Amino acid sequence: VGQPEDVLIRMDSDDTHDPKYFEALIEKLNEGNEVVTTARYARGGGQEGVDLYRRFMSRGANTLMKICFPISGIWEYSCGYRAYRVSFIQDAIGMFGNQFLDLKGMGFTGTVEKMIKARMMRADAAQVPFVLRYDKKLSGSKVVSSLTTLGYFVLIAKYIYPWGDLGKRWRREARERRKRLYPDGQLTLGPVRLD
């Protein structure tokens, strides 16, 4: 994946995610966050070319995730245009193993699942406003809304409160990680590296 001090930016390659937001994403990482998402629902954000049904479904899904998995300052859970500290990805794989992205085959749930796992890891996260340019997309959507919706409800059932020995282990590891990386409430990692 890279060195711990590197940054990983994930975006769609269909012209809907403009690279002009890289600078704002990296700036938020360097303010002490481990995950930074772009947000249509932040002040200054928006979406072009998205029909009313998809707008309604997206807004509803993001509101539901905010209620079930609140993360301070985050209102966008379903947009995959994000920046991560590589150290966060390495820690997530170390903590969750193959369960970091557990619901493979359940539509586009992986994007939301990563935010849930960031919350479970007690990582600081932020968002930057952006405009989704769906009007620039040349092909149709690959989202099967019924499957993705089912996947969201499975995520809620599975992670609203992880039970059993595995859930206890995850909570213990998250507490230890938080103490190690945020001893005074601030992330102790230095700025991300751009090569």
Side-chain angles (χ1 to χ4, degrees), residues 7-191:
V7 59
L8 185 149
I9 296 179
R10 188 268 173 219
M11 64 188 295
D12 290 352
S13 59
D14 59 2
D15 293 330
T16 60
H17 295 170
D18 194 321
K20 72 180 183 181
Y21 297 100
F22 284 8
E23 188 176 326
L25 290 165
I26 292 165
E27 185 178 307
K28 284 289 185 186
L29 286 176
N30 284 331
E31 287 176 7
N33 297 289
E34 295 186 80
V35 178
V36 182
T37 189
T38 57
R40 294 165 286 178
Y41 307 118
R43 182 171 299 182
Q47 44 196 336
E48 301 291 336
V50 180
D51 65 50
L52 190 58
Y53 172 76
R54 285 184 55 109
R55 284 175 185 255
F56 174 77
M57 292 300 289
S58 174
R59 188 63 165 192
N62 279 284
T63 300
L64 179 62
M65 291 301 127
K66 178 69 174 175
I67 291 167
C68 293
F69 304 102
I71 301 172
S72 178
I74 300 292
W75 284 95
E76 179 80 56
Y77 288 68
S78 63
C79 184
Y81 190 2
R82 292 196 189 128
Y84 302 90
R85 287 178 176 266
V86 166
S87 58
F88 166 81
I89 299 292
Q90 291 169 333
D91 286 352
I93 292 169
M95 185 171 167
F96 298 106
N98 287 337
Q99 290 180 308
F100 178 44
L101 292 178
D102 202 22
L103 296 187
K104 301 162 193 79
M106 295 288 293
F108 285 75
T109 56
T111 303
V112 172
E113 188 172 7
K114 283 180 260 185
M115 288 305 289
I116 293 170
K117 296 293 174 60
R119 180 181 183 268
M120 290 171 71
M121 292 171 65
R122 305 175 73 181
D124 280 357
Q127 64 184 19
V128 297
F130 102 116
V131 177
L132 174 68
R133 294 302 308 267
Y134 214 72
D135 57 327
K136 292 189 172 189
K137 187 174 176 66
L138 298 177
S139 62
S141 174
K142 294 174 185 66
V143 173
V144 179
S145 59
S146 58
L147 184 60
T148 300
T149 301
L150 175 62
Y152 288 172
F153 284 111
V154 172
L155 284 172
I156 292 168
K158 186 172 178 99
Y159 293 116
I160 195 86
Y161 189 82
W163 298 94
D165 292 339
L166 188 58
K168 288 178 187 173
R169 192 191 89 207
W170 287 343
R171 287 190 294 278
R172 184 186 72 249
E173 289 179 11
R175 281 192 305 273
E176 291 169 358
R177 180 180 184 278
R178 182 75 188 186
K179 285 179 189 173
R180 178 173 44 89
L181 294 179
Y182 300 84
D184 297 315
Q186 298 290 321
L187 185 65
T188 57
L189 301 175

